[in-house]
Amino acid sequence: MGGQAAYVAVVGAGTDDPELEALAEEVGRRLAAAGATVVCGGLGGVMAAASRGARAAGGTTLGILPGSDRRDANPWVDVAVPTGMGELRNALIVRTVDAVIAIGGGYGTLSEIAFALKTGVAVIGLRTWSLPETRPDPLTRARDPEEAVGRALGAARRR
Amino acid sequence: MGGQAAYVAVVGAGTDDPELEALAEEVGRRLAAAGATVVCGGLGGVMAAASRGARAAGGTTLGILPGSDRRDANPWVDVAVPTGMGELRNALIVRTVDAVIAIGGGYGTLSEIAFALKTGVAVIGLRTWSLPETRPDPLTRARDPEEAVGRALGAARRR
Amino acid sequence: MGGQAAYVAVVGAGTDDPELEALAEEVGRRLAAAGATVVCGGLGGVMAAASRGARAAGGTTLGILPGSDRRDANPWVDVAVPTGMGELRNALIVRTVDAVIAIGGGYGTLSEIAFALKTGVAVIGLRTWSLPETRPDPLTRARDPEEAVGRALGAARRR
Amino acid sequence: MGGQAAYVAVVGAGTDDPELEALAEEVGRRLAAAGATVVCGGLGGVMAAASRGARAAGGTTLGILPGSDRRDANPWVDVAVPTGMGELRNALIVRTVDAVIAIGGGYGTLSEIAFALKTGVAVIGLRTWSLPETRPDPLTRARDPEEAVGRALGAARRR
């Protein structure tokens, strides 16, 4: 199980942004409907929205937290891992998954994108960082949650 | 969820020992029946037996792996976190839980017992390491899986 | 000592690029001449060049390695810490220092830049990633090693 | 350098114990006199005493700290790595060295002994934990600092 299902991370800022959260919630819902385990940083904003969407669709959600208290997880996290490692946990999120969907986001999200690209994990971008100096674009850009989830699951299958 | 349910680690050797595995399987089953999330190192031996028992009782199992490949998890792990951190992951297991049940075990298990005692996480021992120089015994000794699970859940409630 | 001297990371690609290595070597030399401890990822390319420069100037060099064998460090590393944590060590490098000088670099370097920006550590860039969507530029751009070192030490003093 | 010199950890409690600190200081001095890099957890008690002894003999000291502030290091640490990983750093200390000298100590020290035994790093014990169930004794017992250092350096040479 742990080995067989697809694991997809949804990463993005922990601050409120209703538009990005709506995207994240639909991404979470579609991933769960397809049987994928949804992995995130376990906190608020995009992380909470993706977890909420996945739970609404009956999926499994894993939150990998920066702090050492499991109770900091948002209420839609099924399984919480309080790493107590701060931002180092960003790299653990990437290591755990087959693909990353990045939605908006700040420097933490940029670190996750960088780790994924460094380690060969596909990154699907929804209104997230651009890296204009790198040609061709190392991210797969998606127009909407449906395309993002389709491309993430496709990348997961090819691993 | 992630925050509310009790999380209990079952730690012990990864090598075959049918007697210890029978204990671990019953421990896993009883923990899951009581609604606890069963956490382990995700590999074989005691870890696999505890996961198998928990899954048989419909519970949730989390495996925190030393390697970086999620597929190394035993087949009864629901959610696998491949840390790629080697033995450092032992401390992550302890950090994630409310109580530790140690069954048999070698030096890896001893490190988990030590981490738990250091950080104030209750350790329930079933035929595991004794620390005769430390008086009173810092571990809670249990005679059988039923007592071990009862004491672990009691400790989890008191946190 | 450990607490008082300035610690500055020099980050960049591990692959050969004579021009970038010449910059890194001068950066290392100037940092050491100013009494700073030079921190890097401990391997080749920009990391080795910065270490070599620092040692030539009688400085102290710290290499924080991704693997678990201390002997993978380049020969100009005085003190090597083999983390065995892979790319997670990038965040440890940033955590250890007062400022980061990024010279060229690929996705690993981008992760270090992102971690530094996330955690409020100044990043001085020498021919490195641009983040054109973020205004004002979150990096301090330097034209040459002298300016890069000056700005890094200035940022270290203000911490 | 980083690769060639012997690295030896001195581990033990962070609390005051003048007798154990006297042992640790002599151990640090003898290690440094023999050219070894002295590694410790960077804080007080046995850690500070070992660092002080090593520095008095002109040696190099490395402190691997649990917190994320380099300035928590004791004043005799030359190079400090603030891991921000809490007790997980105990395993990093062990990973960094060729041998461990354990002096007294509590559960943190026990975790370091366990990690070392698990990963095949020699442990020399000076008035530290006994593991009476394990026969033969997995630790090398030393009567005094001179013997402890001699045995640690012997183990380092054999790696």
Side-chain angles (χ1 to χ4, degrees):
Chain A
M1 269 297 159
Q4 280 69 51
Y7 280 47
V8 177
V10 184
V11 303
T15 49
D16 284 350
D17 182 323
E19 232 172 294
L20 294 178
E21 289 179 16
L23 293 173
E25 187 163 355
E26 189 183 341
V27 163
R29 194 163 51 234
R30 286 180 178 275
L31 285 170
T37 295
V38 174
V39 182
C40 73
L43 301 178
V46 158
M47 299 174 261
S51 306
R52 193 168 56 235
R55 279 285 287 275
T60 298
T61 56
L62 165 64
I64 301 181
L65 298 160
S68 53
D69 189 338
R70 217 174 61 225
R71 285 159 290 198
D72 293 338
N74 72 61
W76 302 281
V77 165
D78 289 310
V79 175
V81 177
T83 64
M85 297 168 65
E87 303 302 320
L88 272 79
R89 74 86 148 78
N90 293 5
L92 273 187
I93 292 173
V94 172
R95 197 171 271 175
T96 298
V97 300
D98 302 305
V100 172
I101 299 178
I103 304 177
Y107 297 126
T109 305
L110 181 59
S111 78
E112 292 161 323
I113 292 171
F115 270 121
L117 295 175
K118 173 76 177 177
T119 56
V121 174
V123 183
I124 291 81
L126 261 174
R127 304 203 201 164
T128 192
W129 289 89
S130 64
L131 301 171
E133 287 168 329
T134 316
R135 287 281 162 257
D137 189 347
L139 278 70
T140 302
R141 305 287 166 176
R143 279 154 308 179
D144 54 35
E146 183 174 5
E147 187 183 359
V149 169
R151 292 198 180 277
L153 296 175
R157 270 192 302 273
R158 285 190 296 276
R159 274 168 75 89
Chain B
M1 269 299 162
Q4 279 69 51
Y7 280 47
V8 178
V10 185
V11 303
T15 48
D16 284 349
D17 181 324
E19 232 172 293
L20 294 178
E21 289 180 17
L23 293 173
E25 187 162 355
E26 190 184 340
V27 163
R29 194 163 51 235
R30 287 178 177 275
L31 284 170
T37 295
V38 174
V39 182
C40 73
L43 302 178
V46 159
M47 299 175 260
S51 305
R52 194 167 57 234
R55 280 285 288 273
T60 298
T61 56
L62 166 63
I64 300 182
L65 299 160
S68 52
D69 190 340
R70 217 173 61 226
R71 284 160 291 200
D72 293 338
N74 73 59
W76 301 281
V77 166
D78 289 313
V79 175
V81 177
T83 65
M85 296 169 66
E87 302 303 319
L88 271 79
R89 74 81 150 82
N90 294 5
L92 272 188
I93 292 172
V94 172
R95 195 170 275 174
T96 297
V97 300
D98 302 305
V100 171
I101 300 178
I103 304 177
Y107 297 125
T109 304
L110 181 60
S111 77
E112 291 160 323
I113 292 171
F115 270 120
L117 296 174
K118 172 77 178 174
T119 56
V121 173
V123 183
I124 291 81
L126 263 175
R127 306 201 198 164
T128 192
W129 288 90
S130 64
L131 302 170
E133 289 169 327
T134 315
R135 285 281 163 261
D137 189 347
L139 278 71
T140 302
R141 305 287 167 178
R143 279 153 308 180
D144 54 35
E146 184 176 3
E147 187 183 359
V149 168
R151 293 198 179 277
L153 295 175
R157 269 191 302 272
R158 285 189 297 275
R159 274 168 76 89
Chain C
M1 269 296 162
Q4 279 69 52
Y7 280 47
V8 177
V10 184
V11 303
T15 48
D16 283 348
D17 182 324
E19 233 172 293
L20 294 178
E21 289 179 17
L23 293 173
E25 188 161 355
E26 190 183 340
V27 163
R29 191 162 52 234
R30 286 179 176 275
L31 285 170
T37 295
V38 174
V39 183
C40 72
L43 302 177
V46 159
M47 300 174 260
S51 307
R52 193 168 57 235
R55 280 284 288 273
T60 298
T61 57
L62 165 64
I64 301 183
L65 298 160
S68 52
D69 189 339
R70 217 174 60 223
R71 284 159 291 199
D72 293 338
N74 73 60
W76 303 280
V77 165
D78 288 310
V79 175
V81 177
T83 66
M85 299 170 64
E87 302 302 321
L88 272 80
R89 76 80 150 81
N90 293 6
L92 273 188
I93 292 172
V94 172
R95 196 170 274 174
T96 298
V97 299
D98 302 305
V100 171
I101 300 178
I103 304 177
Y107 296 126
T109 304
L110 181 59
S111 78
E112 291 160 324
I113 292 171
F115 270 121
L117 295 175
K118 172 77 177 176
T119 55
V121 173
V123 183
I124 290 80
L126 261 175
R127 303 202 201 166
T128 191
W129 289 89
S130 64
L131 301 171
E133 289 168 328
T134 315
R135 286 282 161 259
D137 189 347
L139 278 71
T140 300
R141 306 287 166 176
R143 279 155 307 180
D144 54 36
E146 183 175 4
E147 187 183 359
V149 169
R151 293 197 179 278
L153 295 175
R157 268 192 303 273
R158 286 189 297 275
R159 276 168 74 88
Chain D
M1 268 297 163
Q4 278 70 51
Y7 280 47
V8 178
V10 184
V11 302
T15 48
D16 283 349
D17 182 324
E19 231 173 295
L20 293 178
E21 289 178 18
L23 292 173
E25 187 162 355
E26 189 183 342
V27 162
R29 194 164 49 234
R30 287 180 177 274
L31 285 169
T37 295
V38 174
V39 182
C40 74
L43 301 178
V46 159
M47 300 174 261
S51 306
R52 194 169 55 235
R55 280 283 289 273
T60 297
T61 56
L62 166 64
I64 300 182
L65 298 159
S68 52
D69 190 339
R70 217 173 61 223
R71 285 160 290 197
D72 293 338
N74 73 60
W76 303 281
V77 165
D78 289 310
V79 175
V81 178
T83 65
M85 298 169 65
E87 302 303 319
L88 270 80
R89 76 84 150 77
N90 293 6
L92 273 188
I93 292 172
V94 173
R95 194 170 274 172
T96 298
V97 300
D98 302 306
V100 172
I101 299 177
I103 303 176
Y107 298 126
T109 305
L110 181 60
S111 77
E112 291 161 324
I113 292 171
F115 270 120
L117 296 174
K118 172 75 176 177
T119 56
V121 173
V123 183
I124 290 80
L126 261 174
R127 305 204 201 161
T128 192
W129 289 89
S130 64
L131 302 170
E133 289 169 326
T134 314
R135 286 280 162 262
D137 189 348
L139 277 71
T140 301
R141 306 287 166 177
R143 282 155 304 180
D144 55 33
E146 182 174 5
E147 188 183 359
V149 169
R151 293 198 179 276
L153 296 175
R157 270 191 301 273
R158 287 190 296 275
R159 275 168 74 89

